[in-house]
Amino acid sequence: MSGSLIIQQPGNSVVTDLGRFRGPRFGLPVNGALDQFSARAANILAANADNAPLLEITALDFRMQATTDLLIAVTGAPLTLTVGGRECQQWEPVSVRAGETVAARRITGGLRAYLAVHGSVEAPELLGSCAPDTVVGFGLRLSEGTELKTGRSVGPIRQPYFDLPLFRLGLTRPEFGSRAVIDVTDGPDVEEFGDTAELLYTTEYTVSARSNHIGLRLGGALPERQSSAEVLSRGVPVGAIEVPSREELLVLHRGRGVTAGYPVLAVVTSRSLDTLAQARPGHTITFRKTTVPEATAKHRAAIRELENLRSRVSTIFALLGIGKEPGWPELIPAAGS
Amino acid sequence: MAATPNPTPVEIFESGDSALRVVASSDDTEANWATVHALAQWLETAGADGVHGAVPTYDSLLVEFDPGVTSARQVRAFVLLGLRQLEHVGAPARTPRDFSVPVVYGGEYGPDLERVAEHEQLSVEEIIALHTAKSYVIRCLGAPAGSPMMDGPDFPLPVPRLKDPRLSVPAGAVAVAGRQAVIAPAAAPGGWCVIGQTPLTVLDAASEPLVPYLPGDRLTFRQIQPEEFAEYAGRKLEAAR
């Protein structure tokens, strides 16, 4: 049975997914959830595919009402989550009964929260992704009264004893705080900055209020390019650190223009891009140099942790009868047949 | 796409844990361009698990991948395999298509036309004549939103960028900067000099592909009068044949 949810207070929220991976070859940024770990975790906790459409709630209070019984999960920046007035836990599956209001208030420590609904929500797609693209003017930005169709309804699951937390899923939650250490690898153009490149590792940077999904702007001592030869436009990766002006360091995030003509000093690792997605204006950033193999190992460790979470969630949900389509299980042919 | 019997040598640079930059490093800019585009096409066609795609520009190619599935080392090997394949079989040739773009020059449509003329020490008419004289090769799709990046018109001097970039340049803006020319498919901030505007719709977010041209296609500009703008408005940019 499908249902819907109705947005009562949108704050600053959109429907997104992990990104438009086919976009860059057509000149469109990848976009998608800025904190990929939290977005994947929310979907996994709601027994969805990692890339299923979900809600990204940035900075401001959010409220919605369910028209059917739902199962949701909220991850990302710490906030106060209430369902029908009861305070609920982030980073675990939460039952919502038809008619109840879900409120995500007082986002603190970080900037972005993710709300996944079991069965996901319907959203239009462009090049195989529902991720909003502000330049093309595509995507589902939520406003008061927006009705989102949901895939599946789930009856309430409730711990009968004292409303103790129902699940012990053992996921290590990311840390959120006002000081972040960001891992970077040397960029392809690091030599153009000469000795000044070292400033990146010895300076405390402050996140500017002009930061957004396209890039974070950081104030502090700036490495300086030693040559002034014109650079032809070329593809720049998400995470590229550039020094386009004398005022700020620019760290490109998932909404970045695919091509640019500035030298790339360093590149933020995949894991640290999630951390940067949660940095608020005024937060302090320091950079730490790492290598591509180490960054890859950290990324894979995080993916393994999410896979473990998925297997625990699917065991529990199978016992509770959630997420199974009615029908015959696939039979393994008998040996020798 | 021009056939490339002999791809140029390339250098491959790490660009974080999810991308590699491949740079064609010969002295022949045309061969460099053909190499990175042929390689991008080969990578798309061959496909490899975890490789999201490739963004070719002038002399470089950004190859993006998922470090959970593959690694910089594996993708580097895949790129080198592609280059060896191109040496043996050449790039698949694609017949370029032609696009003709009507443009209203100057006035509210091209607020920087006079500034550009002044900088080039030419008349406005001469600037328009030079801009409409040439058939441009679309070198790559750039930011924002699949802009057709082209080598610029044969102006005497490179065109300086605006000191204060505009917060919004309208869709259809026809602009020049340095030795490059472009059309803005969507409204976006921009620091290029806007000399005119086309009434045609370049980007259609409801269709796939979003923009009708590919790198290697050719494009010409033709002047229309402001009175004709409304007549063309809403029509889509389409290949001539």
Side-chain angles (χ1 to χ4, degrees):
Chain A
M1 192 178 76
S2 65
S4 69
L5 44 91
I6 295 162
I7 306 303
Q8 294 171 317
Q9 182 184 2
N12 180 6
S13 57
V14 295
V15 178
T16 192
D17 56 22
L18 294 180
R20 185 166 291 105
F21 293 101
R22 285 171 58 214
R25 75 185 75 161
F26 301 109
L28 298 188
V30 63
N31 276 307
L34 270 84
D35 177 350
Q36 297 259 302
F37 183 88
S38 294
R40 281 179 195 262
N43 265 329
I44 288 170
L45 291 164
N48 293 335
D50 286 27
N51 196 29
L54 82 170
L55 276 59
E56 182 178 65
I57 301 164
T58 303
L60 304 176
D61 290 356
F62 169 90
R63 209 171 68 238
M64 68 177 195
Q65 188 178 34
T67 65
T68 40
D69 293 344
L70 295 174
L71 185 77
I72 66 166
V74 177
T75 63
L79 50 77
T80 306
L81 174 66
T82 57
V83 173
R86 301 184 305 279
E87 198 159 318
C88 296
Q89 294 292 313
Q90 277 177 272
W91 301 90
E92 64 174 56
V94 172
S95 280
V96 181
R97 273 176 268 190
E100 283 184 330
T101 291
V102 176
R105 293 198 185 91
R106 291 190 290 280
I107 294 181
T108 50
L111 195 57
R112 295 180 166 90
Y114 295 87
L115 189 160
V117 181
H118 176 60
S120 193
V121 293
E122 286 179 17
E125 285 190 358
L126 174 67
L127 296 173
S129 166
C130 71
D133 186 310
T134 50
V135 174
V136 177
F138 175 84
L140 195 49
R141 174 163 288 282
L142 302 178
S143 45
E144 192 181 332
T146 302
E147 185 171 2
L148 293 173
K149 294 248 176 294
T150 58
R152 286 194 208 113
S153 175
V154 179
I157 325 161
R158 214 164 154 208
Q159 162 68 270
Y161 302 105
F162 313 115
D163 274 346
L164 289 169
L166 190 53
F167 304 101
R168 264 180 219 290
L169 294 163
L171 178 73
T172 315
R173 298 180 196 187
E175 281 175 30
F176 297 92
S178 61
R179 305 180 72 84
V181 179
I182 299 299
D183 286 338
V184 301
T185 58
D186 272 340
D189 308 309
V190 63
E191 280 167 16
E192 292 201 24
F193 294 86
D195 294 340
T196 70
E198 281 305 308
L199 280 173
L200 187 67
Y201 304 106
T202 54
T203 304
E204 281 199 348
Y205 292 95
T206 307
V207 179
S208 147
R210 291 167 62 227
S211 304
N212 58 19
H213 66 292
I214 295 172
L216 284 89
R217 291 170 189 276
L218 307 179
L222 299 180
E224 219 171 302
R225 197 182 165 206
Q226 305 297 297
S227 80
S228 59
E230 193 161 325
V231 178
L232 283 171
S233 295
R234 55 194 171 198
V236 288
V238 173
I241 300 182
E242 299 174 346
V243 192
S245 76
R246 290 183 180 277
E247 285 122 51
E248 286 162 327
L249 202 67
L250 176 63
V251 187
L252 296 175
H253 219 297
R254 301 181 72 83
R256 60 71 167 100
V258 175
T259 59
Y262 297 108
V264 177
L265 166 63
V267 186
V268 177
T269 66
S270 297
R271 282 302 286 134
S272 283
L273 279 166
D274 292 346
T275 309
L276 274 185
Q278 298 292 358
R280 298 175 74 99
H283 280 189
T284 303
I285 301 285
T286 51
F287 293 100
R288 178 169 64 193
K289 193 189 282 206
T290 185
T291 63
V292 168
E294 269 178 49
T296 306
K298 275 197 181 173
H299 177 78
R300 289 182 177 178
I303 296 290
R304 269 198 305 281
E305 181 155 15
L306 289 171
E307 286 311 317
N308 292 339
L309 178 67
R310 176 184 299 289
S311 87
R312 288 194 291 273
V313 168
S314 69
T315 306
I316 293 167
F317 281 18
L319 292 171
L320 293 168
I322 301 168
K324 287 273 182 274
E325 296 288 358
W328 293 100
E330 207 168 301
L331 294 176
I332 300 160
S337 68
Chain B
M1 189 77 50
T4 47
N6 287 306
T8 65
V10 302
E11 289 179 76
I12 302 177
F13 299 92
E14 278 180 352
S15 286
D17 61 25
S18 307
L20 287 178
R21 182 198 285 173
V22 182
V23 179
S25 50
S26 83
D27 295 332
D28 181 344
T29 54
E30 202 67 31
N32 289 343
W33 176 78
T35 296
V36 296
H37 283 267
L39 186 56
Q41 210 179 337
W42 186 88
L43 295 171
E44 298 292 348
T45 312
D49 279 353
V51 177
H52 293 313
V55 182
T57 55
Y58 293 88
D59 63 351
S60 87
L61 178 71
L62 184 78
V63 186
E64 294 184 291
F65 55 88
D66 178 350
V69 177
T70 184
S71 67
R73 210 161 57 92
Q74 285 169 301
V75 175
R76 180 187 291 259
F78 183 52
V79 166
L80 293 174
L81 174 68
L83 282 167
R84 280 201 299 279
Q85 287 283 314
L86 292 176
E87 273 168 26
H88 285 299
V89 300
R94 188 178 68 81
T95 312
R97 292 165 303 165
D98 289 295
F99 292 85
S100 172
V101 179
V103 179
V104 180
Y105 287 93
E108 57 178 303
Y109 299 97
D112 303 320
L113 178 62
E114 286 185 15
R115 190 200 322 256
V116 171
E118 204 171 308
H119 174 77
E120 301 291 338
Q121 297 177 335
L122 295 172
S123 68
V124 160
E125 291 71 28
E126 286 169 314
I127 292 290
I128 295 171
L130 283 172
H131 192 253
T132 52
K134 182 169 163 181
S135 171
Y136 299 86
V137 176
I138 297 176
R139 294 296 177 178
C140 59
L141 307 187
S147 304
M149 312 288 285
M150 299 168 281
D151 297 332
D154 296 326
F155 293 161
L157 302 167
V159 180
R161 281 158 203 251
L162 300 178
K163 285 210 179 70
D164 286 309
R166 291 194 172 85
L167 290 176
S168 184
V169 173
V174 171
V176 288
R179 294 269 180 208
Q180 288 181 279
V182 78
I183 309 172
W192 291 38
C193 291
V194 178
I195 61 170
Q197 190 179 356
T198 178
L200 297 185
T201 301
V202 177
L203 176 124
D204 180 2
S207 78
E208 238 179 81
L210 278 72
V211 289
Y213 41 76
L214 285 170
D217 286 339
R218 292 178 300 230
L219 195 148
T220 52
F221 295 104
R222 64 175 203 277
Q223 186 177 15
I224 59 166
Q225 298 308 312
E227 309 83 82
E228 297 174 87
F229 194 92
E231 194 183 312
Y232 287 95
R235 285 196 223 165
K236 282 202 231 173
L237 174 63
E238 283 172 342
R241 57 189 156 83

